[in-house]
């Protein structure tokens, strides 16, 4: 029975919430007005969930970020927020934080990302939380360029921003975790010392470390497949070659910095095995790392669950960052 339940939970029908579409169609056929109200209520519930998505640790201190434009592009100005601890010093270590959203959505201003920044600042870290261009109109290379430019902006202006450029940990959620891992694995593999100057470690939550895993048959998420395909569009090379090139796992070497990898075992958007494979390769190269697994956690479990396991993982994340700095 448990296996049957597990199979149903990870089915294409459930993972992609097709049951909601089915209910809408049935209601709309029965009564168009009823279908319309169901649609509005669904939008309201979806928006409410996003606005109330936060990590399960409240920060009582009043902390407000300062916003800076780190880059001007043709269509928009790209911004980042700097969060500082209440007792800030110019030597405050920095967490360079990158949001998720499948490279095609998300924002540094989303409540889940803001709650992470407040939590880290309350732990005594400075935090730079960035936005980047989306994969709808741009490519993965554009996004990686934004990531690099934001990091360079913070380093170049470290004194003005009151952050320590010699004590940095890269951190990201989902797609943001992928960008953080890819940046650190690629530049350590190629021994780009200048690009890795001051970076002491990397934290990745439920990140696709191998792009190929998004397209395996057991991964049923339409969103993950669409978002990845959209962001990697227009590159003239065989798919496997493209997927491997943009996969952090491809670039792991003996030069890699310490890693904290976090993943929910029940993730139906980014397969859990992506992190298992990444950690296995870290072991192969004898890289210092910590692997934390939430056995009942799905994608974005850190801002959806409020159980003790999630709280412990958050506390251990802060301890890992402090330890490597």
């Amino acid at each position: 029975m448990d296996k049957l339940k597990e199979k149903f939970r990870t089915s294409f029908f459930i993972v992609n919430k097709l049951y909601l579409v089915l209910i809408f169609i049935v209601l709309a056929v029965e009564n168009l007005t009823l279908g319309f109200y169901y649609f509005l209520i669904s939008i309201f519930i979806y928006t409410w969930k996003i606005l109330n998505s936060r990590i399960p640790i409240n920060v009582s201190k009043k902390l407000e970020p300062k916003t800076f434009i780190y880059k001007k592009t043709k269509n928009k100005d790209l911004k980042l927020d700097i969060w500082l601890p209440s007792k800030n010093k110019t030597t405050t270590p920095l967490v360079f934080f990158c949001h998720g959203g499948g490279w095609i959505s998300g924002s540094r201003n989303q409540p889940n990302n803001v709650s992470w920044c407040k939590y880290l600042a309350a732990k005594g870290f400075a935090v730079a939380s960035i936005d980047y261009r989306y994969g709808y109109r741009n490519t993965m290379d554009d996004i990686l360029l934004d990531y690099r430019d934001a990091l360079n902006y913070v380093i170049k202006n470290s004194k003005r921003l009151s952050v320590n450029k010699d004590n940095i940990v890269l951190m990201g959620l989902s797609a943001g975790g992928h960008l953080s891992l890819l940046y650190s694995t690629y530049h350590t593999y190629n021994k780009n010392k200048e690009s890795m100057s001051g970076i002491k470690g990397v934290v990745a939550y439920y990140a696709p470390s191998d792009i190929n895993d998004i397209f395996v048959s057991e991964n049923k998420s339409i969103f993950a497949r669409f978002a990845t395909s959209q962001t990697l569009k227009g590159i003239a090379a065989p798919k496997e070659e493209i997927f491997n090139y943009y996969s952090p796992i491809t670039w792991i070497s003996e030069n890699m910095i310490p890693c904290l990898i976090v993943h929910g075992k029940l993730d139906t958007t980014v397969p859990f095995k992506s992190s298992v494979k990444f950690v296995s390769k870290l072991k192969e190269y004898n890289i210092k790392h910590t692997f934390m697994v939430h056995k009942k956690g799905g994608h974005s479990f850190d801002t959806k669950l409020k159980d003790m396991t999630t709280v412990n993982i958050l506390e251990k994340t802060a301890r890992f960052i402090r330890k490597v700095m």
Side-chain angles (χ1 to χ4, degrees):
M1 183 59 79
D2 288 343
K3 283 187 178 179
L4 191 63
K5 285 182 181 176
E6 177 65 19
K7 196 172 180 180
F8 182 68
R9 192 192 62 77
T10 58
S11 68
F12 184 84
F13 185 72
I14 296 297
V15 168
N16 296 294
K17 295 183 170 54
L18 294 183
Y19 57 93
L20 297 176
V21 178
L22 192 60
I23 294 171
F24 169 72
I25 292 173
V26 170
L27 290 174
V29 168
E30 183 67 25
N31 186 313
L32 195 59
T33 303
L34 198 59
F36 176 71
Y37 281 121
Y38 173 79
F39 176 75
L40 288 182
I41 291 170
S42 299
I43 294 293
F44 173 79
I45 293 173
Y46 176 74
T47 306
W48 185 86
K49 283 185 176 179
I50 290 180
L51 293 177
N52 286 280
S53 179
R54 294 177 175 82
I55 61 171
I57 298 178
N58 292 321
V59 175
S60 56
K61 295 178 182 176
K62 281 192 174 181
L63 298 167
E64 294 293 336
K66 290 184 179 178
T67 303
F68 301 87
I69 296 173
Y70 72 86
K71 181 176 180 177
K72 291 180 180 291
T73 67
K74 185 178 179 182
N75 297 315
K76 64 183 290 190
D77 292 342
L78 297 178
K79 299 177 181 177
L80 60 80
D81 287 339
I82 298 291
W83 295 80
L84 297 174
S86 50
K87 295 181 180 178
N88 185 53
K89 301 174 183 177
T90 54
T91 56
T92 303
L94 173 72
V95 178
F96 187 77
F97 186 88
C98 190
H99 71 77
W103 308 283
I104 61 171
S105 62
S107 161
R108 73 188 197 288
N109 292 321
Q110 277 183 207
N112 62 326
N113 299 315
V114 169
S115 69
W116 258 113
C117 294
K118 283 185 176 179
Y119 170 65
L120 292 169
K123 288 289 182 181
F125 307 114
V127 185
S129 180
I130 70 166
D131 275 343
Y132 48 86
R133 285 175 287 181
Y134 296 138
Y136 283 116
R137 294 181 177 177
N138 307 282
T139 66
M140 182 66 85
D141 285 337
D142 293 329
I143 297 170
L144 288 166
L145 197 59
D146 294 344
Y147 186 92
R148 188 202 67 183
D149 289 341
L151 182 58
N152 286 345
Y153 176 89
V154 174
I155 292 172
K156 187 178 179 182
N157 296 281
S158 59
K159 284 188 178 177
R160 182 164 66 93
L161 302 178
S162 301
V163 302
N164 186 350
K165 66 177 182 178
D166 298 318
N167 233 347
I168 301 171
V169 163
L170 308 179
M171 178 175 177
L173 312 178
S174 195
H178 164 267
L179 297 174
S180 303
L181 287 178
L182 186 55
Y183 182 91
S184 53
T185 52
Y186 180 84
H187 287 298
T188 49
Y189 178 91
N190 289 292
K191 300 180 181 177
N192 297 331
K193 291 184 178 178
E194 189 176 346
S195 298
M196 291 301 297
S197 177
I199 300 174
K200 307 294 186 183
V202 58
V203 176
Y205 269 60
Y206 35 83
S209 60
D210 187 344
I211 298 292
N212 291 283
D213 293 334
I214 297 294
F215 297 95
V216 296
S217 58
E218 58 261 41
N219 186 27
K220 305 295 192 302
S221 173
I222 291 178
F223 171 77
R225 289 168 181 253
F226 170 76
T228 307
S229 298
Q230 186 67 21
T231 307
L232 294 177
K233 62 189 177 296
I235 302 175
K239 279 188 176 178
E240 188 176 350
E241 190 177 316
I242 295 170
F243 294 167
N244 290 338
Y245 182 81
Y246 290 104
S247 293
I249 198 169
T250 302
W251 304 101
I252 293 178
S253 68
E254 64 276 8
N255 304 313
M256 183 57 184
I257 53 178
C259 299
L260 170 59
I261 306 297
V262 184
H263 214 128
K265 210 168 184 177
L266 305 183
D267 195 328
T268 55
T269 303
V270 176
F272 173 65
K273 76 171 187 179
S274 196
S275 286
V276 173
K277 286 163 52 182
F278 191 82
V279 169
S280 178
K281 200 163 181 182
L282 290 175
K283 287 180 182 174
E284 185 184 328
Y285 281 91
N286 201 27
I287 307 300
K288 289 182 180 177
H289 68 277
T290 301
F291 186 27
M292 294 196 290
V293 177
H294 194 308
K295 291 182 179 178
K296 297 181 180 179
H299 203 65
S300 303
F301 74 88
D302 52 315
T303 53
K304 292 178 180 174
L305 300 180
K306 302 183 185 304
D307 59 308
M308 191 51 71
T309 303
T310 302
V311 172
N312 286 335
I313 287 175
L314 298 177
E315 294 286 2
K316 287 178 180 176
T317 297
R319 287 204 289 272
F320 172 87
I321 294 171
R322 186 166 289 111
K323 186 178 177 183
V324 297
M325 283 178 164

